[in-house]
């Protein structure tokens, strides 16, 4: 299996990665008319909790574009659940391994649920 093209980004920048070319993502489906355009020079991160880095690398080329789209959606005000769903779709679009993608996505959603549950339980605001 060939790795996805990541010539559109490089390591570096203030958050770990930076785009070297404009990146576009068709939200919903190809040719949907709803295109997210991210300019060259956009910093982003591909974060993995330290406890899971034995299984998932923040530098995995299968998940870099997903991380970029996810970060951009969150930073422009979209809801977490929507950004998370697009992370999943982007990862699948570059043919990321299905089981690893499924585990990572559901781990992300479980983390968000636990943050929400503990925030409600202790009457605090979640940080992310």
């Amino acid at each position: 299996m060939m790795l996805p093209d990541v010539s559109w980004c490089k390591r570096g920048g203030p958050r770990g990665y930076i785009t070297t070319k404009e990146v576009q993502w068709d939200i919903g489906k190809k040719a949907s008319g709803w295109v997210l355009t991210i300019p060259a020079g956009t910093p982003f991160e591909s974060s993995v909790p330290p406890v899971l880095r034995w299984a998932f690398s923040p530098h995995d080329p299968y998940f870099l574009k997903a991380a970029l789209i996810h970060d951009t959606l969150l930073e422009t005000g979209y809801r977490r659940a929507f950004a998370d769903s697009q992370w999943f779709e982007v990862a699948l679009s570059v043919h990321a391994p299905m089981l690893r993608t499924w585990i990572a996505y559901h781990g992300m959603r479980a983390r968000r649920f636990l943050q929400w549950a503990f925030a409600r339980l202790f009457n605090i605001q979640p940080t992310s």
Side-chain angles (χ1 to χ4, degrees):
M1 183 182 289
M2 272 186 19
L3 293 175
D5 174 28
V6 292
S7 63
W8 54 269
C9 73
K10 67 178 181 179
R11 283 177 87 165
R15 297 175 56 198
Y17 282 91
I18 191 162
T19 58
T20 57
K21 302 177 188 175
E22 179 179 276
V23 175
Q24 293 189 332
W25 172 248
D26 290 307
I27 295 178
K29 64 179 182 174
K30 280 192 180 279
S32 68
W34 186 10
V35 179
L36 178 66
T37 301
I38 303 161
T42 301
F44 69 100
E45 63 186 295
S46 179
S47 58
V48 175
V51 70
L52 296 177
R53 289 195 181 151
W54 63 272
F56 294 95
S57 169
H59 309 294
D60 188 328
Y62 284 112
F63 301 116
L64 291 176
K65 187 174 183 182
L68 170 66
I69 302 301
H70 185 262
D71 281 4
T72 301
L73 289 170
L74 288 175
E75 290 162 9
T76 54
Y78 287 91
R79 297 181 73 146
R80 290 179 180 140
F82 180 72
D84 293 352
S85 74
Q86 291 304 291
W87 181 95
F88 185 78
E89 294 297 327
V90 176
L92 293 180
S93 79
V94 298
H95 308 289
M98 178 61 90
L99 181 59
R100 285 182 43 220
T101 303
W102 188 91
I103 290 168
Y105 171 75
H106 287 288
M108 183 183 333
R109 297 302 304 149
R111 176 178 174 257
R112 298 232 194 266
F113 172 76
L114 290 172
Q115 286 176 328
W116 173 83
F118 280 106
R120 287 193 57 121
L121 182 64
F122 297 109
N123 199 25
I124 57 174
Q125 288 291 327
T127 57
S128 62

